[in-house]
Amino acid sequence: MQITRFGPDDVAELKEWRELTNAVQREDSPWEPDVSLLRVEARFRVGWDGEPSVPFLATVDGETVGGGALAISELDNLHLAWLGVIVHPDHRRRGYGTQILTHLEEEARKAGRTSVGAGGWESDAVRAFAAQHGFEEKSRAINRRQYLADVDRTELQKQYDEALAAAPDYVLERRPLPTPDNELAEFAEMASAINDAPHDDLDIEDEVFSAERMKAYEDACAFRKERAYRVVARHLPSGQLAGQTVVVVDSERPEVGDQHDTSVVSSHRGHRLGLLLKAEMVRWIDEVEPQVETIDTFNAESNDHMIGVNELLGYRIMGRELAYQKSL
């Protein structure tokens, strides 16, 4: 086997990665839409917020059999690397995944990391592979999907009105991205509330948010040609931003939406702002993106509060993603 690093300018390798990824998804998570070449390039050029993953392709006799990705941050969690291992369904159970994982672990050591994490859709095969290589299950996340055609708009309005009545000191603002540069620091302070979401048993530190990181996140959305919408709640007496929810619409597949961050600042909880924000987002998407059919979200299985909000809004479970970690 040859394991070769490549980059976002290597078009042939990007195409190989796209075909590999789509073959894996069709086998392991068929509810996920195929990835486009643009989204593959974006992952390895700009990442989620300016820190792209490093990709590798694994070939045997010139044929792509698998791949790997290494994700590290220089902003926080300097002890940690996230590893991604994928093997084409036609080439599994031949030890290729083990070789790719070994290579990625060595790359993580070279980067000075002392802990590695990895994830996979819940299955006996994923559990066995993790156990074989000394990983321990640390967290579970649920992928849920909202089918907008099935959302009862009368019930949605009722939920919105009830939540609004519970938050008399707050006003909602619709804020399409990009955010003006002079407001990014304020938005970064609010975004740090996501650190309160459950991490379960993962050995991870809080993410460090800054104006620069918020700008990098918004730039990454723009690179992926996503139309991004943010609803914020502002506390009227203080003027502070109290919470947000963000949904992006894929311009290549305008029927598909993705839920990004939903969070409420701790000092402003207890006013049903999470439900209010997400209900307002549906109302906004109805107006500006009426072709959107679905919105996907992920939540830690232990995040009872947000799961309750999502279930009120009709989200359905699609799959469970397991997160593993081990020390190097």
Side-chain angles (χ1 to χ4, degrees), residues 52-179:
S53 299
V54 177
F56 302 83
L57 280 176
T59 60
V60 174
D61 297 328
E63 182 179 7
T64 298
V65 299
L70 174 74
I72 60 176
S73 176
E74 299 298 339
L75 301 174
D76 50 53
N77 285 283
L78 302 182
H79 67 298
L80 180 61
W82 285 100
L83 314 180
V85 177
I86 53 175
V87 178
H88 194 287
D90 294 340
H91 297 281
R92 291 178 174 175
R93 305 191 66 80
R94 303 180 192 180
Y96 297 153
T98 294
Q99 293 181 62
I100 296 168
L101 176 62
T102 299
H103 184 86
L104 293 176
E105 289 182 351
E106 183 56 33
E107 291 292 322
R109 288 189 181 92
K110 290 178 182 178
R113 306 295 153 138
T114 58
S115 177
V116 290
W121 294 109
E122 183 179 40
S123 69
D124 291 341
V126 166
R127 286 195 173 96
F129 185 80
Q132 177 185 350
H133 297 288
F135 283 83
E136 297 181 3
E137 184 181 318
K138 298 294 186 178
S139 181
R140 298 181 178 193
I142 307 297
N143 176 200
R144 285 178 169 82
R145 177 170 294 167
Q146 183 184 46
Y147 290 85
L148 291 179
D150 295 341
V151 175
D152 185 329
R153 295 312 193 272
T154 300
E155 180 63 24
L156 179 73
Q157 185 65 46
K158 177 184 175 183
Q159 293 168 355
Y160 175 86
D161 291 341
E162 291 176 353
L164 189 64
D169 290 334
Y170 298 87
V171 64
L172 298 182
E173 299 175 6
R174 294 179 174 184
R175 301 293 302 268
L177 275 57
T179 303

Side-chain angles (χ1 to χ4, degrees), residues 310-328:
N310 287 333
E311 289 181 344
L312 276 175
L313 295 173
Y315 279 83
R316 310 178 194 171
I317 293 176
M318 306 303 293
R320 177 182 283 106
E321 188 177 42
L322 307 180
Y324 295 86
Q325 195 170 12
K326 78 172 183 180
S327 171
L328 292 178

